[in-house]
Amino acid sequence: QVQLVESGGGLVQAGGSLRLSCTASGEFFSLATMGWYRRSSEAQRELVADITSNGITNYAHSVNGRFTVSRDNAKNTVYLQMNNLKPEDTGIYYCHSERRPPGALPLSFWGRGTQVTVSS
């Protein structure tokens, strides 16, 4: 079992910045793909960015160039640096972990989320 705890959300004006953190409990953090998802009101949860165990990153088109995902395996923590925030970035941001043990089903875990609100 992996527990994910997000922090760093809050209220910020458009054009501002926030850095989200997600710390994982348990072992094998370095082997997991870590992702950030968000859910805006009346919308489904969507991928914002993720980073593989090898450090390969992937971003949603809407945040490319503004957000940066990174990880510190020594601290079992993944970060999301969000710059030039826009009102449409408002939502609940969730941390996600997925690991695929050899010969076994994928192991997937979610954090409880942290609220990000961007005012215009």
Side-chain angles (χ1 to χ4, degrees), residues 13-102:
Q13 289 188 332
S17 298
L18 284 173
R19 188 176 83 153
L20 305 183
S21 300
C22 169
T23 300
S25 67
E27 300 177 299
F28 308 116
F29 174 84
S30 63
L31 301 180
T33 292
M34 301 299 299
W36 288 97
Y37 290 72
R38 71 182 174 201
R39 181 166 62 195
S40 305
S41 60
E42 301 179 0
Q44 292 187 349
R45 192 154 45 186
E46 61 176 354
L47 175 68
V48 175
D50 61 19
I51 182 167
T52 68
S53 59
N54 294 325
I56 298 172
T57 58
N58 175 50
Y59 297 93
H61 178 73
S62 61
V63 307
N64 203 16
R66 299 188 296 122
F67 291 10
T68 302
V69 61
S70 61
R71 64 192 298 161
D72 185 339
N73 290 337
K75 297 181 178 179
N76 276 19
T77 300
V78 61
Y79 305 97
L80 185 67
Q81 177 67 45
M82 305 185 294
N83 297 329
N84 190 21
L85 282 160
K86 303 176 180 180
E88 52 263 41
D89 295 318
T90 294
I92 302 174
Y93 283 69
Y94 298 90
C95 181
H96 178 253
S97 169
E98 181 170 298
R99 184 170 66 88
R100 298 175 179 266

Side-chain angles (χ1 to χ4, degrees), residues 10-16 85-88 90 116-120:
L11 173 64
V12 65
Q13 289 188 332
L85 282 160
K86 303 176 180 180
E88 52 263 41
T90 294
V116 171
T117 303
V118 184
S119 63
S120 57

